[in-house]
Amino acid sequence: MNKKWISLTIIALMMMSVFAGCSKQDSLENKTKLVMATSADYAPFEYVDSKNGDEIIGFDIDIAKMVTKNLGYELEIKNMDFKGVIPSVTQKQADFAMSGINPDPERAKSVDFSVPYYESKHSVVFLEDTKLQTAEDLKGKTIGVQLGSTQEKEADKLKDVTVEKRNKIPELVQELKSGRMDAALIEKSVAKGYLENDNTLNSFLLPNTKEVSYVVAFPKDSPLKEKFDKELKKLKESGELKKLEDKWFAEQQ
């Protein structure tokens, strides 16, 4: 009797596992729309185009539109503070996230990452008249970073500096221009956009740091990861990814 009960229990558990796997796949196949989490304050990756009805545009947005279209889905974009982007994925409020996201061991505990689709570096941005030139000049200074960003972690490695954190990149630039910060650590391509539009700003690359890889974030074990990886590789091999880089970064290389 006990052996029979054990056998039935094992069979039941196996059936539950099979049905759970099918349900997971069916739930994806039955979707017509994918929700993407982003923080649209990170031009040229994602930002609000106030001249065009507050539409969210950018490099990441174009990639997301291409990939989801190729996979047969509509795209819905949810805009939020950067600190909420990863939690929205882990809490299944979004199917994936693209927001200048860098892979790191801490984030990898809660989400899965796609293959990288872009590489960049960290810039130290400051007012021209402060005459900063090297990382050594940052000692004793107040440095601004975006909350939850990779730049936040890089700033924490700097010695003898005070680190101030803000939710959005425009807040950092405003604090910099108002004199409440001496410099801000911002991703190179994002910083270039501000430098081109404001001749009171200057920058230099933060030395001894690796290039920043940008990836898509997914809930753990999401079947979307493999699908996105294939599409991102296709975009790279076909040259479409390079065309998007030229479109958004040509003037910033």
Side-chain angles (χ1 to χ4, degrees):
M1 184 65 177
N2 288 339
K3 289 182 179 180
K4 183 178 180 181
W5 182 85
I6 292 172
S7 297
L8 289 172
T9 301
I10 292 173
I11 292 172
L13 289 172
M14 290 175 65
M15 292 296 292
M16 287 174 65
S17 176
V18 170
F19 285 132
C22 290
S23 175
K24 185 175 183 180
Q25 186 62 33
D26 288 344
S27 65
L28 181 59
E29 290 177 351
N30 292 333
K31 279 179 176 287
T32 59
K33 176 176 65 178
L34 296 179
V35 177
M36 167 182 160
T38 195
S39 179
D41 64 332
Y42 206 60
F45 291 92
E46 45 269 322
Y47 63 101
V48 176
D49 183 7
S50 57
K51 297 179 181 178
N52 193 23
D54 290 338
E55 178 186 4
I56 297 176
I57 62 174
F59 179 62
D60 284 354
I61 306 303
D62 280 0
I63 292 175
K65 286 180 176 179
M66 281 188 176
V67 171
T68 52
K69 181 180 179 180
N70 290 345
L71 292 176
Y73 297 103
E74 295 177 17
L75 176 65
E76 177 184 342
I77 300 172
K78 284 189 176 181
N79 188 17
M80 61 194 71
D81 285 346
F82 186 76
K83 64 181 179 181
V85 169
I86 295 296
S88 74
V89 173
T90 60
Q91 295 166 17
K92 305 295 179 67
Q93 296 170 351
D95 297 295
F96 68 99
M98 292 182 73
S99 194
I101 295 171
N102 317 124
D104 63 45
E106 189 61 32
R107 289 173 180 165
K109 293 176 183 178
S110 57
V111 295
D112 286 338
F113 298 121
S114 72
V115 293
Y117 61 84
Y118 186 73
E119 305 283 342
S120 190
K121 296 182 179 181
H122 309 286
S123 283
V124 178
V125 181
F126 52 92
L127 290 177
E128 178 73 44
D129 58 12
T130 60
K131 302 186 185 305
L132 298 176
Q133 294 183 350
T134 69
E136 287 295 314
D137 296 332
L138 297 177
K139 289 185 178 180
K141 300 292 194 296
T142 299
I143 311 299
V145 294
Q146 185 178 31
L147 189 64
S149 67
T150 298
Q151 286 76 35
E152 177 182 357
K153 295 181 179 180
E154 290 297 332
D156 288 338
K157 297 176 185 177
L158 297 174
K159 296 180 179 179
D160 303 320
V161 301
T162 300
V163 179
E164 289 282 342
K165 304 171 184 181
R166 299 291 184 270
N167 285 323
K168 298 179 182 294
I169 298 296
E171 293 176 23
L172 294 179
V173 176
Q174 184 57 43
E175 295 286 73
L176 187 61
K177 290 177 68 67
S178 67
R180 287 188 286 270
M181 293 178 181
D182 298 299
L185 193 54
I186 302 173
E187 191 275 333
K188 175 187 172 184
S189 297
V190 177
K192 283 289 186 180
Y194 288 97
L195 292 167
E196 289 174 355
N197 292 303
D198 191 336
N199 59 14
T200 68
L201 298 175
N202 203 343
S203 74
F204 61 82
L205 291 178
L206 189 66
N208 304 318
T209 56
K210 295 181 180 179
E211 285 195 335
V212 182
S213 297
Y214 283 171
V215 295
V216 186
F218 305 93
K220 278 291 186 182
D221 301 318
S222 170
L224 278 176
K225 172 188 158 41
E226 183 178 354
K227 294 176 181 291
F228 266 66
D229 281 350
K230 289 181 179 178
E231 291 301 322
L232 289 172
K233 289 176 182 177
K234 287 180 184 178
L235 290 179
K236 184 174 182 178
E237 291 169 358
S238 68
E240 288 300 317
L241 198 55
K242 180 63 168 59
K243 289 180 182 178
L244 291 181
E245 289 181 8
D246 290 343
K247 172 184 175 181
W248 293 103
F249 306 115
E251 298 179 359
Q252 303 185 24
Q253 301 302 327

